[in-house]
Amino acid sequence: MPKMKTHKSGAKRYRVTATGKVMRAQAFRGHLNVTKSSRRKRRLNPDVVISTANEKKIRLELPYPKYSR
């Protein structure tokens, strides 16, 4: 069988941990950061686990999760 291709935009948006969890960055950090408080920006900083509703779709985009970092 031929190799499956990784969805490149998905590989840039999501990362897979060593235990297999799919992580994503939080929204609302892209621009207009001057008006946001430091506390709000800090809380938006860490990656979060994706929702279970979207997990199946994202795993299809990343057929080789070990290498999509």
Side-chain angles (χ1 to χ4, degrees), residues 15-33:
R15 66 181 187 85
V16 183
T17 62
T19 57
K21 288 187 264 185
V22 182
M23 307 294 283
R24 65 164 176 85
Q26 294 198 63
F28 304 107
R29 276 296 302 266
H31 57 93
L32 301 176
N33 289 317

Side-chain angles (χ1 to χ4, degrees), residues 7-67:
H7 197 277
K8 295 313 270 184
S9 68
K12 293 169 188 172
R13 289 175 186 168
Y14 311 110
R15 66 181 187 85
V16 183
T17 62
T19 57
K21 288 187 264 185
V22 182
M23 307 294 283
R24 65 164 176 85
Q26 294 198 63
F28 304 107
R29 276 296 302 266
H31 57 93
L32 301 176
N33 289 317
V34 175
T35 59
K36 296 176 182 119
S37 67
S38 298
R39 178 184 178 192
R40 184 173 167 191
K41 287 184 279 192
R42 268 197 314 275
R43 286 184 173 200
L44 291 170
N45 197 24
D47 288 352
V48 290
V49 181
I50 59 162
S51 66
T52 53
N54 297 324
E55 190 169 355
K56 192 174 180 181
K57 291 178 192 172
I58 292 168
R59 287 201 185 274
L60 286 173
E61 292 183 359
L62 306 173
Y64 307 107
K66 183 178 175 185
Y67 301 105

